[in-house]
Coordinates of all heavy atoms in Angstrom, one line a residue:
D46 N 83.5 -2.1 -43.3 CA 82.6 -1.2 -42.6 C 83.4 -0.4 -41.7 O 84.0 -0.9 -40.8 CB 81.5 -2.0 -41.8 CG 80.6 -2.7 -42.7 OD1 80.2 -2.2 -43.8 OD2 80.2 -3.9 -42.4
P47 N 83.4 0.9 -41.9 CA 84.3 1.8 -41.0 C 83.8 1.8 -39.6 O 82.5 1.7 -39.4 CB 84.2 3.2 -41.7 CG 83.2 3.1 -42.7 CD 82.8 1.7 -42.9
V48 N 84.7 1.9 -38.7 CA 84.3 2.0 -37.3 C 84.8 3.4 -36.8 O 86.0 3.7 -37.0 CB 85.1 1.0 -36.4 CG1 84.8 1.2 -34.9 CG2 84.6 -0.4 -36.9
Q49 N 84.0 4.3 -36.3 CA 84.3 5.6 -35.8 C 85.0 5.5 -34.5 O 84.5 4.8 -33.6 CB 83.1 6.5 -35.7 CG 82.3 6.6 -37.0 CD 83.0 7.3 -38.1 OE1 83.8 8.3 -37.8 NE2 82.9 6.9 -39.3
A50 N 86.1 6.2 -34.3 CA 86.9 6.1 -33.0 C 87.4 7.5 -32.7 O 87.5 8.3 -33.6 CB 88.0 5.1 -33.1
T51 N 87.8 7.7 -31.5 CA 88.4 8.9 -31.0 C 89.8 8.6 -30.4 O 90.0 7.6 -29.7 CB 87.5 9.5 -29.9 OG1 86.2 9.8 -30.5 CG2 88.1 10.8 -29.4
V52 N 90.7 9.5 -30.7 CA 92.0 9.4 -30.1 C 91.9 9.7 -28.6 O 91.4 10.8 -28.3 CB 93.0 10.4 -30.8 CG1 94.4 10.3 -30.1 CG2 93.2 10.0 -32.3
I53 N 92.4 8.8 -27.8 CA 92.3 9.1 -26.3 C 93.7 9.3 -25.7 O 93.8 9.7 -24.6 CB 91.6 7.9 -25.6 CG1 92.2 6.6 -25.8 CG2 90.1 7.9 -26.0 CD1 91.7 5.5 -25.0
A54 N 94.8 8.9 -26.4 CA 96.1 9.1 -25.8 C 97.1 9.3 -27.0 O 97.0 8.7 -28.0 CB 96.5 8.0 -24.9
R55 N 98.1 10.0 -26.6 CA 99.3 10.2 -27.5 C 100.5 10.5 -26.7 O 100.5 11.5 -26.0 CB 98.9 11.3 -28.5 CG 99.9 11.4 -29.7 CD 99.3 12.2 -30.8 NE 100.2 12.1 -31.9 CZ 99.9 12.6 -33.1 NH1 98.7 13.3 -33.3 NH2 100.7 12.5 -34.1
N56 N 101.5 9.7 -26.8 CA 102.7 9.9 -26.0 C 103.6 10.9 -26.6 O 103.9 10.9 -27.7 CB 103.4 8.5 -25.9 CG 104.6 8.5 -25.0 OD1 105.2 9.6 -24.7 ND2 105.0 7.4 -24.5
P57 N 103.9 12.0 -25.8 CA 104.8 13.0 -26.4 C 106.1 12.5 -26.9 O 106.7 13.1 -27.8 CB 105.0 14.0 -25.1 CG 103.9 13.7 -24.2 CD 103.5 12.2 -24.4
D58 N 106.6 11.4 -26.3 CA 107.9 10.9 -26.7 C 107.8 10.2 -28.1 O 108.7 10.0 -28.8 CB 108.4 9.9 -25.8 CG 108.8 10.5 -24.4 OD1 109.0 11.7 -24.4 OD2 108.9 9.8 -23.4
Q59 N 106.6 9.8 -28.4 CA 106.3 9.1 -29.7 C 105.2 9.8 -30.5 O 104.4 9.2 -31.1 CB 105.9 7.6 -29.5 CG 107.0 6.8 -28.8 CD 106.5 5.4 -28.5 OE1 105.3 5.2 -28.3 NE2 107.4 4.5 -28.6
W60 N 105.3 11.1 -30.5 CA 104.2 12.0 -31.1 C 104.0 11.6 -32.6 O 102.8 11.5 -33.0 CB 104.5 13.4 -31.0 CG 103.4 14.3 -31.3 CD1 103.1 15.0 -32.4 CD2 102.3 14.6 -30.4 NE1 102.0 15.7 -32.3 CE2 101.4 15.4 -31.1 CE3 101.9 14.2 -29.1 CZ2 100.2 15.9 -30.5 CZ3 100.8 14.7 -28.5 CH2 99.9 15.5 -29.2
E61 N 105.0 11.4 -33.3 CA 104.9 11.1 -34.7 C 104.8 9.6 -35.0 O 104.7 9.1 -36.1 CB 106.2 11.6 -35.5 CG 106.4 13.0 -35.4 CD 105.4 13.9 -36.1 OE1 104.8 13.4 -37.0 OE2 105.2 15.0 -35.6
E62 N 104.7 8.8 -33.9 CA 104.8 7.3 -34.1 C 103.4 6.6 -33.9 O 103.0 5.8 -34.7 CB 105.8 6.7 -33.1 CG 107.2 7.3 -33.2 CD 108.1 6.6 -34.2 OE1 107.9 5.4 -34.4 OE2 108.9 7.3 -34.7
K63 N 102.8 6.9 -32.7 CA 101.6 6.1 -32.3 C 100.6 7.0 -31.7 O 100.8 8.0 -31.1 CB 102.1 5.0 -31.3 CG 103.0 4.0 -31.9 CD 103.5 3.1 -30.9 CE 104.5 2.2 -31.5 NZ 105.6 1.8 -30.6
I64 N 99.3 6.4 -31.8 CA 98.2 7.0 -31.0 C 97.4 5.9 -30.5 O 97.5 4.7 -30.9 CB 97.3 7.9 -31.9 CG1 96.7 7.1 -33.1 CG2 98.0 9.2 -32.4 CD1 95.7 7.9 -34.0
I65 N 96.5 6.1 -29.5 CA 95.7 5.1 -28.9 C 94.2 5.6 -29.2 O 93.9 6.8 -28.9 CB 96.0 4.9 -27.5 CG1 97.4 4.4 -27.3 CG2 94.9 3.9 -26.9 CD1 97.8 4.2 -25.9
I66 N 93.4 4.7 -29.6 CA 92.0 5.0 -29.9 C 91.1 4.3 -28.9 O 91.5 3.4 -28.2 CB 91.5 4.7 -31.3 CG1 91.7 3.3 -31.7 CG2 92.3 5.6 -32.3 CD1 91.1 2.8 -33.0
D67 N 89.8 4.8 -28.8 CA 88.9 4.3 -27.8 C 88.0 3.1 -28.3 O 87.0 2.8 -27.8 CB 87.9 5.4 -27.4 CG 87.0 5.9 -28.4 OD1 87.3 5.6 -29.6 OD2 86.1 6.6 -28.1
K68 N 88.5 2.4 -29.3 CA 87.8 1.1 -29.8 C 88.8 0.0 -29.8 O 90.0 0.2 -30.0 CB 87.3 1.4 -31.2 CG 86.3 2.5 -31.4 CD 85.0 2.2 -30.8 CE 84.0 3.2 -31.2 NZ 83.3 3.9 -30.2
G69 N 88.3 -1.2 -29.5 CA 89.1 -2.4 -29.4 C 88.4 -3.6 -30.0 O 87.5 -3.5 -30.8
S70 N 88.8 -4.8 -29.5 CA 88.4 -6.0 -30.0 C 86.9 -6.2 -29.9 O 86.2 -6.8 -30.8 CB 89.1 -7.2 -29.4 OG 88.9 -7.2 -28.0
V71 N 86.3 -5.7 -28.8 CA 84.8 -5.8 -28.7 C 84.1 -5.0 -29.8 O 82.9 -5.2 -30.0 CB 84.3 -5.4 -27.3 CG1 84.9 -6.3 -26.2 CG2 84.6 -4.0 -27.0
H72 N 84.7 -4.1 -30.4 CA 84.1 -3.2 -31.4 C 84.5 -3.8 -32.8 O 84.2 -3.1 -33.8 CB 84.6 -1.8 -31.3 CG 84.4 -1.2 -30.0 ND1 85.3 -1.1 -29.0 CD2 83.2 -0.7 -29.5 CE1 84.8 -0.6 -27.9 NE2 83.5 -0.3 -28.2
G73 N 85.2 -4.9 -32.9 CA 85.6 -5.5 -34.2 C 87.0 -5.1 -34.7 O 87.3 -5.4 -35.8
I74 N 87.7 -4.4 -33.9 CA 89.1 -3.9 -34.3 C 90.0 -5.1 -34.2 O 90.0 -5.9 -33.3 CB 89.6 -2.8 -33.4 CG1 88.6 -1.6 -33.4 CG2 90.9 -2.3 -33.8 CD1 88.3 -1.0 -34.7
E75 N 90.9 -5.2 -35.3 CA 91.9 -6.3 -35.3 C 93.2 -5.7 -35.7 O 93.3 -4.7 -36.3 CB 91.4 -7.4 -36.3 CG 90.2 -8.0 -36.0 CD 89.7 -9.0 -37.1 OE1 90.5 -9.2 -38.1 OE2 88.6 -9.5 -37.0
V76 N 94.3 -6.4 -35.4 CA 95.6 -6.0 -35.8 C 95.7 -6.0 -37.3 O 95.1 -6.8 -38.0 CB 96.7 -7.1 -35.2 CG1 98.1 -6.8 -35.8 CG2 96.7 -7.0 -33.7
N77 N 96.5 -5.0 -37.8 CA 96.7 -4.7 -39.2 C 95.6 -4.0 -40.0 O 95.6 -3.9 -41.2 CB 97.2 -6.0 -40.0 CG 98.6 -6.3 -39.7 OD1 99.4 -5.4 -39.4 ND2 99.0 -7.6 -39.8
M78 N 94.5 -3.7 -39.3 CA 93.5 -2.9 -39.9 C 94.0 -1.5 -40.3 O 94.8 -0.9 -39.6 CB 92.2 -2.8 -39.0 CG 91.4 -4.0 -38.9 SD 89.9 -3.6 -38.0 CE 88.8 -4.9 -38.6
A79 N 93.5 -1.0 -41.4 CA 93.9 0.3 -41.9 C 93.1 1.3 -41.0 O 92.0 1.1 -40.6 CB 93.5 0.5 -43.3
V80 N 93.8 2.5 -40.8 CA 93.2 3.6 -40.0 C 93.2 4.8 -40.9 O 94.2 5.2 -41.4 CB 93.9 3.8 -38.7 CG1 93.3 5.0 -37.9 CG2 94.0 2.6 -37.9
I81 N 92.0 5.4 -41.1 CA 91.8 6.5 -42.0 C 91.2 7.7 -41.2 O 90.5 7.5 -40.3 CB 91.1 6.2 -43.2 CG1 89.7 5.7 -42.9 CG2 91.8 5.1 -44.1 CD1 88.8 5.5 -44.2
T82 N 91.4 8.9 -41.8 CA 90.6 10.1 -41.4 C 89.9 10.5 -42.6 O 90.0 9.9 -43.7 CB 91.5 11.2 -40.8 OG1 92.3 11.6 -41.9 CG2 92.4 10.7 -39.7
A83 N 89.2 11.7 -42.5 CA 88.6 12.2 -43.7 C 89.6 12.6 -44.7 O 89.3 12.7 -45.9 CB 87.8 13.5 -43.3
S84 N 90.8 12.8 -44.3 CA 91.9 13.2 -45.3 C 92.5 12.0 -45.9 O 93.2 12.1 -46.9 CB 93.0 14.0 -44.6 OG 92.4 15.2 -44.1
G85 N 92.4 10.8 -45.4 CA 93.0 9.6 -46.0 C 93.6 8.7 -44.9 O 93.5 8.9 -43.7
L86 N 94.5 7.8 -45.4 CA 95.2 6.8 -44.6 C 96.1 7.5 -43.7 O 96.9 8.3 -44.1 CB 95.9 5.9 -45.5 CG 96.7 4.7 -44.9 CD1 95.7 3.7 -44.2 CD2 97.5 4.0 -45.9
I87 N 96.1 7.1 -42.4 CA 97.1 7.6 -41.4 C 97.9 6.5 -40.8 O 98.9 6.9 -40.2 CB 96.4 8.5 -40.3 CG1 95.4 7.7 -39.5 CG2 95.7 9.7 -41.0 CD1 95.1 8.3 -38.2
G88 N 97.5 5.3 -40.8 CA 98.3 4.2 -40.2 C 97.6 2.9 -40.1 O 96.6 2.7 -40.9
K89 N 98.1 2.0 -39.3 CA 97.4 0.7 -39.1 C 97.5 0.3 -37.6 O 98.3 0.8 -36.9 CB 98.1 -0.3 -39.9 CG 99.5 -0.7 -39.4 CD 100.1 -1.9 -40.3 CE 101.5 -2.2 -39.8 NZ 102.0 -3.4 -40.5
V90 N 96.5 -0.6 -37.3 CA 96.4 -1.1 -35.9 C 97.6 -2.0 -35.7 O 97.8 -3.0 -36.5 CB 95.1 -1.8 -35.7 CG1 95.0 -2.4 -34.3 CG2 93.9 -0.9 -36.0
I91 N 98.3 -1.8 -34.5 CA 99.4 -2.8 -34.2 C 99.1 -3.5 -32.9 O 99.7 -4.6 -32.7 CB 100.7 -2.0 -34.1 CG1 100.7 -0.9 -33.1 CG2 101.2 -1.6 -35.5 CD1 102.1 -0.3 -32.8
I92 N 98.3 -3.0 -32.0 CA 98.0 -3.6 -30.7 C 96.5 -3.4 -30.4 O 96.0 -2.3 -30.6 CB 98.8 -3.1 -29.5 CG1 100.3 -3.2 -29.8 CG2 98.4 -3.7 -28.2 CD1 101.2 -2.5 -28.7
V93 N 95.9 -4.5 -30.0 CA 94.4 -4.4 -29.7 C 94.2 -5.0 -28.3 O 94.7 -6.1 -28.0 CB 93.6 -5.2 -30.7 CG1 92.1 -5.1 -30.4 CG2 93.8 -4.7 -32.1
T94 N 93.5 -4.2 -27.5 CA 92.9 -4.7 -26.2 C 91.4 -4.8 -26.4 O 90.9 -4.5 -27.4 CB 93.3 -3.8 -25.0 OG1 92.6 -2.6 -25.2 CG2 94.8 -3.5 -25.0
K95 N 90.8 -5.1 -25.3 CA 89.3 -5.3 -25.4 C 88.7 -4.0 -25.7 O 87.7 -3.9 -26.5 CB 88.8 -5.7 -24.0 CG 87.5 -6.4 -24.0 CD 87.2 -7.0 -22.6 CE 85.9 -7.8 -22.7 NZ 85.6 -8.4 -21.4
S96 N 89.2 -2.8 -25.2 CA 88.5 -1.6 -25.4 C 89.3 -0.5 -26.1 O 88.8 0.6 -26.2 CB 87.9 -1.0 -24.1 OG 89.0 -0.9 -23.2
T97 N 90.6 -0.8 -26.4 CA 91.4 0.2 -27.0 C 92.3 -0.4 -28.1 O 92.4 -1.6 -28.2 CB 92.4 0.9 -26.0 OG1 93.3 0.0 -25.6 CG2 91.7 1.6 -24.9

Side-chain angles (χ1 to χ4, degrees):
D46 293 319
V48 176
Q49 302 296 322
T51 301
V52 175
I53 58 171
R55 194 164 186 172
N56 186 334
D58 294 341
Q59 296 179 329
W60 194 260
E61 302 293 331
E62 306 271 329
K63 297 175 185 146
I64 58 175
I65 298 174
I66 60 171
D67 65 347
K68 300 289 191 233
S70 60
V71 296
H72 305 98
I74 305 299
E75 298 174 8
V76 171
N77 283 334
M78 283 185 157
V80 180
I81 60 174
T82 66
S84 300
L86 183 66
I87 63 162
K89 72 176 181 178
V90 177
I91 58 169
I92 300 171
V93 180
T94 68
K95 201 171 187 178
S96 58
T97 66

